[in-house]
Structures are given as C-alpha cells and as structure tokens.
Amino acid sequence: MARRIPEDPIVRSIVNMVRSAQFDRRQMLKGAAVGAAGLGALTLASCAPGGGGGAGGGSNAQKLVWGNWTYYLDFNEDTGWYDSLDLFTDETGIAVEYIEDIDDNNTFYGKIKDQLELGQHTGYDVITFTDWMNARLIQAKQVQEFDYANLPNVTANLVDAQLNALDADQGRKFTIPWQLPASCLMWDTEAVPGGIKTLDDFMQPSLKGKVGVLTEMRDTMGIILAGLGYDPAGAWGDKEWGEAIQWLDDGIQSGQIKNVKGNSYTQDLERGDTLAAMVWTGDVVMMNAESPDGPRWTIEVPESGGMIAADSFTIPNGTESAKKKLAEEMINFYYDPEVMAAVADYVTFVPPVKGTQEAMRKLNPENADNPLIFPSDEDWKRLHSFRSLSPEEDKKYSSEFQKVLGL
C-alpha cells in the first residue's frame, strides 16, 4: 500500500532520503574485511561533502570529527554518506568527519587512553561510548561539561528516564544519550525452530560450537545474572557473580560457546558459524533487511530478562572550545524528534528523544509500532540496567571476565 508523503517539508525531505537508501552496506563491510584487530585502520571513514581530511583539533573551525559505532547512523548506499548528516551540513555549514571506529568500549578506550590521560586531542571531537565507560571518563575528569545554552532540544526532548540514569552524571552534565541499545537473545529461525528463550536453551547439544556471546561484560553477564534469577540492577555481589562467571566458563570450556565478539559478531551469524547468540537488537533488524533470502533471524527479550544501556555523546578533553560548540550544535540537531525518527528508522535501536514515536508515524508507520524500537510496557519490565560497580569491583570483575573469555 502506498504511503502518503507527509506535508511537512523537513519530514518529506527525510522520507525521500530514507526511501532512497539501500540496505546493503554490509557488502561494504565484507569488502573492507573489517576485523577487530584492524578495525581502526579499516573503518568506513569518510568526510562530509566539502569536508577536508585529517583529524579534528585543527584550524578548520567549521568541521568536527565524530567517532561512533557501526550501524549507528542512517547510511545512504547511493550517496555513500549519511542523510541526516547531509541535512545538518546543509542547514549549518558544519562538515562532519564521521568515523565508525568503535567496535568495543575497551578496545576503543585503549586506542585513545594515552591522549586522554595527557589531555591531548584524541583525533575525535565527539565520541559515543557506553555509559559505564563514560562513568570512568567522568571520574577521571577526561571529558568536558556541556553548555546547555547550546542544547535547547536536549533540554526539551531528552526522555525523562534517561536524565538521571547514569549515577556518575546526574542531570546529564557530561553525557547525552545517543541510542539505547538493548541486548537480548537471537537465533537462526531455520536452524533453531524451537527458539532460544532461556539460558538452558543455549546449552542444547545441537548448538554445540554454534553459540555466541558479547565481549561487552555488562551485556553478557547481565543476561546470565538475570537468567540465574538475579536482578542485574540489584544488590548482587561476589556470590552471585561467581555463579554467573562459572556458568560462562563452563559454556566456553565445554565448547558449547565458541564465538565471543564485539560488533563483528554479525559476520559469524551471516556465515552460519553462530546459530544462537546474545546480540544488540538493532543489528537484527538491519541484518534481516539486508538478507538476500528474506528475514532469517529473530530476537526476543529473554523470559528472565535482557539488558538496556545507553551509548552517549561526550566531548573528550583536548577538543578545542570552537569544536565543542559545533558538536553541541550537532547533538542539538539530532534531538529534533523528526531527525531522530529518520535515524531510528535506519538503526532501529531505542531512541532517547521524546516525540520520536509520533514522528515515526509520519515517516514510517510500520516502524512506529516496532517493539525493538519502541518497547512495549511488558518488554520494559524485562529490560534491566547493570548496576554501577565500584572501581574495585570493576577491576576485579572485568579481570575475571576477560580471563574467562581468553582475551
């Protein structure tokens, strides 16, 4: 059924841009042979029209550099660029060098930690770590405070639940949510017709060597803790953690769990090396859209619970004040519900901007009722946050997790 084009010129422009997008950029990833080890050198780095080369912090005050995760912005296969960034540059004259350079919080932090510790420019004017990593940066005083005079859309439209969701940053002075990824259980519908509803389902003999988990500790361990009957956001301690890490170790040592990946886990699923996995919701929508044989995978919030987090904008120390202001202007742009709807229609993660679902009804009514983008009240009851860890806990648990994963 043909959809009526919205009358609003901005929405109409975005609709036309999104409709023209082709969802096959995975081929670009394959062609680039992106792997965790070489990701930094091989990512889909590009410059906005009119933008020059080189990293930020230089003399061109009308250009900024944004480091982000893959599949996290509305890519247009025809233009080879991002439609919303084009719109931002057209409206403001600000060029953005957009670099998909984050595969994993720890590995990306390792890439820029020396500059952060020295207060030097990292090569990025704005980045989007996950909030637990942002808490570390805040505590280490390695990121700058936002000027909310430049962020009226954020003030008006940040969803209430996110304002104080990060205990290290009450009121979002240093972090502004970009996307809210949920991690759940996914499976190949043909190979696993019975589905994966619980942790025990991962252990079925037919899946030996075909199960994957994420290198993000809080996603993987949060799902395991919930599966063992503990609230990941609650007052669990060493005893509960010990049970969960033992479950993971048993799964890996037995060969049941084979693939442990960051963002690149999608390639294992596409090759059939993984048939069931802990994943991020938006990736599943994207993979099905790009599958030449039609939807192949499905995903559910586990009966025992999945995880919800926030990847948030921060301005690292070393970003000069003029670039910081440009970054704030860009962040404010994305907090327009109609702009965020265009992004959400592509990336299919939960958006942090009020009014996005209403804007989506004009842009793509089918996605306005997509529970992976706009979770139902029942889903929200089963989506947990991971409680904040003390520095001592973080060091201890991270070390044990890395050891079990063999990383």
Side-chain angles (χ1 to χ4, degrees), residues 157-175:
N157 298 327
L158 174 63
V159 295
D160 296 337
Q162 280 296 312
L163 181 62
N164 295 314
L166 178 58
D167 50 10
D169 187 25
Q170 298 290 287
R172 294 290 181 180
K173 296 177 181 177
F174 297 90
T175 60

Side-chain angles (χ1 to χ4, degrees), residues 185-189 192 195 279 284 288 295-300:
L185 303 182
M186 173 188 189
W187 62 92
D188 184 313
T189 54
V192 192
V279 302
V284 182
N288 277 329
R296 176 177 165 189
W297 300 273
T298 193
I299 186 171
E300 285 187 10

Side-chain angles (χ1 to χ4, degrees), residues 208-343:
K208 187 168 185 177
K210 296 289 185 179
V211 173
V213 298
L214 297 165
T215 55
E216 285 291 329
M217 181 182 78
R218 287 155 179 81
D219 292 304
T220 292
M221 295 305 293
I223 290 176
I224 296 173
L225 281 166
L228 295 177
Y230 304 116
D231 179 2
W236 54 267
D238 286 351
K239 171 184 173 296
E240 294 79 10
W241 170 268
E243 292 178 30
I245 202 72
Q246 188 63 54
W247 185 95
L248 179 62
D249 191 35
D250 289 346
I252 292 175
Q253 293 302 320
S254 69
Q256 184 77 15
I257 298 172
K258 179 181 178 183
N259 296 313
V260 180
K261 295 289 181 65
N263 239 23
S264 56
Y265 72 85
T266 57
Q267 296 162 48
D268 292 330
L269 287 158
E270 288 180 322
R271 288 193 297 263
D273 292 341
T274 300
L275 299 178
M278 299 177 186
V279 302
W280 292 298
T281 53
D283 292 340
V284 182
V285 179
M286 187 71 68
M287 290 171 64
N288 277 329
E290 297 177 351
S291 172
D293 301 321
R296 176 177 165 189
W297 300 273
T298 193
I299 186 171
E300 285 187 10
V301 179
E303 294 172 355
S304 52
M307 302 301 295
I308 185 86
D311 292 329
S312 299
F313 290 107
T314 60
I315 309 290
N317 291 349
T319 296
E320 62 186 40
S321 59
K323 298 295 183 69
K324 176 175 179 287
K325 188 174 182 180
L326 298 183
E328 290 168 342
E329 189 167 352
M330 185 187 76
I331 294 167
N332 194 62
F333 170 82
Y334 278 108
Y335 263 71
D336 181 320
E338 292 173 347
V339 176
M340 183 54 73
V343 174

Side-chain angles (χ1 to χ4, degrees), residues 101 168 180 210 378:
D101 220 8
L180 309 178
K210 296 289 185 179
E378 186 60 32

Side-chain angles (χ1 to χ4, degrees), residues 16-97:
N16 288 333
M17 287 191 291
V18 170
R19 283 182 173 180
S20 67
Q22 302 298 315
F23 291 94
D24 61 352
R25 63 189 288 259
R26 187 167 300 281
Q27 299 304 318
M28 296 178 66
L29 287 174
K30 287 179 178 175
V34 174
L39 192 65
L42 293 172
T43 46
L44 302 174
S46 301
C47 296
S59 60
N60 185 350
Q62 287 302 110
K63 174 188 164 189
L64 60 88
V65 182
W66 176 10
N68 201 1
W69 301 77
T70 55
Y71 293 131
Y72 241 22
L73 195 59
D74 48 326
F75 185 78
N76 186 322
E77 183 73 18
D78 289 339
T79 64
W81 191 240
Y82 303 87
D83 290 333
S84 59
L85 276 183
D86 266 343
L87 187 61
F88 172 70
T89 299
D90 288 345
E91 288 187 355
T92 64
I94 300 170
V96 180
E97 184 174 357

